Each structure stands twice: as C-alpha cells, then as structure tokens.
Amino acid sequence: MKDLLSKKKKQSIKLKDELPGRLKSIALLITDKWKEVIKQFIDGAITGFVSELIIFLINNFITTMKRMVRIIKEGLMSLVSMIRFLLNPPEEMLPEEVHHQCMKLGMSILVTSGGILLEEVIEKFLMAQVWIAQIANFHAPVIAGLSTGLILSLLIYGIDKLDCSVHEREKSTDKYRNLSWASFGKLKWS
C-alpha cells in the first residue's frame, strides 16, 4: 500500500488501475504456496497441541503427586492405628467388636483416600469454570471434605446397622436352633 501511495504521488498513477493487478498477483502467489501454508498450519497446530498437552500432564502429575503423598501419609497413619488397636484392644471388648471396629477403621482409610482424590477432581472442575477459577483452591477442599465426611458417616452407619442386624439374626436363630418339629407347634409367636 505504501508503495502504491508513493507511486501515486511520484508518477500520478490512478490507484484503481493498479490495485486489481496487484491483488491478482498476491492471489496467484498464495494459490501457488497454499500447500506449504496448510502444511505449516498443521505443523504449528500439532506442535502447539503436543506442547500444551505435555504442560497439562506435568502440572497434573505434580499436583497429583502432592495428593498421593497425602494419601500415603493418611493411609499409613490410619493403618498403624488400626493394627495397634487390633493388637492391643481394650480388655472388655469382644473379638467380634474389635474386628467390627477395625472394619470401620479400614473403611475410613478407603474413603479418606477417595476423598483426597475427589478433591483433585473438584479442583480441576472448578478451575475449568472461568467465573470461579480464582477461588477454586479454597472451595475444593471444603466441598471434598464435606462430601467425604458425609459418605464416611453413612458408610459407618451402614456397617453398624448391618452388624446389629447380623447379631439380631444370630440371636433369633440360636433361640430356635434346638427345637424339634414336635415342639414347633407349641411355640408362642410374638
């Protein structure tokens, strides 16, 4: 354009006479090199995609490794307390109760580990939401902690209920185990 304007001033050429010729020559140059342009575009797109993918994987690997360290630490601490409880239970506790408590401790290990991984998922999801990305680091642990606590409470409640129903069933079967068919009709059903 500068060239055209300078020529117009110097040689007083009309702009509209020379502009179509120049545009035609530019179009011919582009059509001659279109394969190279597309090749460069594809190479750049692939390079950019691979570069971003590697950065994404490294960032996720580093944050996941931090959380894996937390999972290992929390799991080992809970496992040690479970083994300590199993080896040295309170004297008044029955062996069935000790095993029941150890099952609850083992469930807490699994749910806590899942909660730490859930925190990672929630944080990544919140980071993807542009409007709350700045506060995702603060909200993800809260949401994951609440979810983990709720899930763990429900599972422990379920284990306790299951254990109570098993003991009730055992008591009722013990009550009727020694009966004969002749005495079956004499039972009082409550």
Side-chain angles (χ1 to χ4, degrees), residues 2 20 32 45 47 50 55 59 68 70 105 130-131 143 148 176 182 185:
K2 277 185 175 180
D32 287 343
T47 303
V50 169
I55 290 171
N59 286 338
M68 290 303 286
R70 270 183 55 202
L105 283 170
V130 176
W131 53 281
I143 295 169
T148 303
Y176 300 113

Side-chain angles (χ1 to χ4, degrees), residues 98-99 117 179-180 187:
V98 171
H99 293 286
L117 293 176
L179 296 176
S180 65
L187 287 176

Side-chain angles (χ1 to χ4, degrees), residues 3-89:
D3 188 37
L4 282 175
L5 292 174
S6 65
K7 272 190 174 181
K8 182 176 190 259
K9 288 179 183 176
K10 292 180 182 176
Q11 301 173 359
S12 49
I13 304 172
K14 294 203 175 199
L15 187 62
K16 61 182 170 179
D17 292 339
E18 195 167 317
L19 188 62
R22 290 215 176 200
L23 289 176
K24 197 181 246 184
S25 67
I26 291 172
L28 286 174
L29 282 172
I30 290 174
T31 55
D32 287 343
K33 295 184 178 183
W34 72 272
K35 288 181 182 177
E36 188 176 325
V37 169
I38 289 178
K39 182 182 175 225
Q40 290 295 326
F41 172 76
I42 291 173
D43 288 346
I46 290 172
T47 303
F49 176 76
V50 169
S51 172
E52 289 299 316
L53 181 65
I54 289 172
I55 290 171
F56 173 76
L57 291 175
I58 288 172
N59 286 338
N60 278 339
F61 180 72
I62 289 171
T63 58
T64 303
M65 286 308 295
K66 287 180 192 175
R67 290 205 169 84
M68 290 303 286
V69 169
R70 270 183 55 202
I71 289 171
I72 292 169
K73 182 185 126 208
E74 296 294 329
L76 283 177
M77 286 174 46
S78 297
L79 191 62
V80 166
S81 68
M82 184 174 72
I83 291 172
R84 192 178 321 145
F85 183 78
L86 186 62
L87 294 176
N88 191 18

Side-chain angles (χ1 to χ4, degrees), residues 84-144:
R84 192 178 321 145
F85 183 78
L86 186 62
L87 294 176
N88 191 18
E91 291 180 17
E92 66 274 0
M93 253 190 184
L94 296 173
E96 294 85 23
E97 292 173 332
V98 171
H99 293 286
H100 179 73
Q101 295 300 324
C102 286
M103 187 167 68
K104 288 197 286 189
L105 283 170
M107 185 62 64
S108 71
I109 293 171
L110 294 176
V111 172
T112 304
S113 300
I116 293 170
L117 293 176
L118 179 68
E119 180 183 342
E120 171 98 12
V121 171
I122 291 171
E123 184 178 338
K124 296 299 178 199
F125 175 75
L126 292 177
M127 293 293 266
Q129 311 305 318
V130 176
W131 53 281
I132 55 173
Q134 271 69 31
I135 57 174
N137 292 336
F138 302 112
H139 284 73
V142 172
I143 295 169

